[in-house]
Amino acid sequence: MIKPLTPQFRSDILESFNKQLEELDSCGNNSYVALQKNTINQFKKLIKSLPDGYPIPVERRNGR
């Protein structure tokens, strides 16, 4: 399924990334945690740079 990137959808995606970063903050600092944090931050930059309406592939979950 493809969803257009709306301001609300962008906000939901960024919120999800922030929650993942919070979870990683509870871990000890090692190379795996640093790599994941760096990757998430790069994805955040990418999502912020995409124009409104950009088609984002998503999986349906729970019938949604």
Side-chain angles (χ1 to χ4, degrees), residues 2-20:
I2 303 289
K3 278 183 77 170
L5 184 60
T6 62
Q8 181 60 50
F9 188 31
R10 183 188 323 267
S11 176
D12 293 344
I13 293 170
L14 293 174
E15 182 180 326
S16 173
F17 285 148
N18 288 334
K19 286 181 183 178
Q20 290 178 39

Side-chain angles (χ1 to χ4, degrees), residues 17-50:
F17 285 148
N18 288 334
K19 286 181 183 178
Q20 290 178 39
L21 287 170
E22 286 176 17
E23 287 181 28
L24 288 169
D25 284 341
S26 69
C27 298
N29 196 13
N30 59 51
S31 59
Y32 298 110
V33 172
L35 178 63
Q36 290 181 72
K37 284 182 174 182
N38 186 34
T39 302
I40 290 168
N41 284 321
Q42 292 302 316
F43 275 123
K44 284 176 65 173
K45 287 181 185 178
L46 174 65
I47 293 298
K48 288 177 181 179
S49 71
L50 293 173

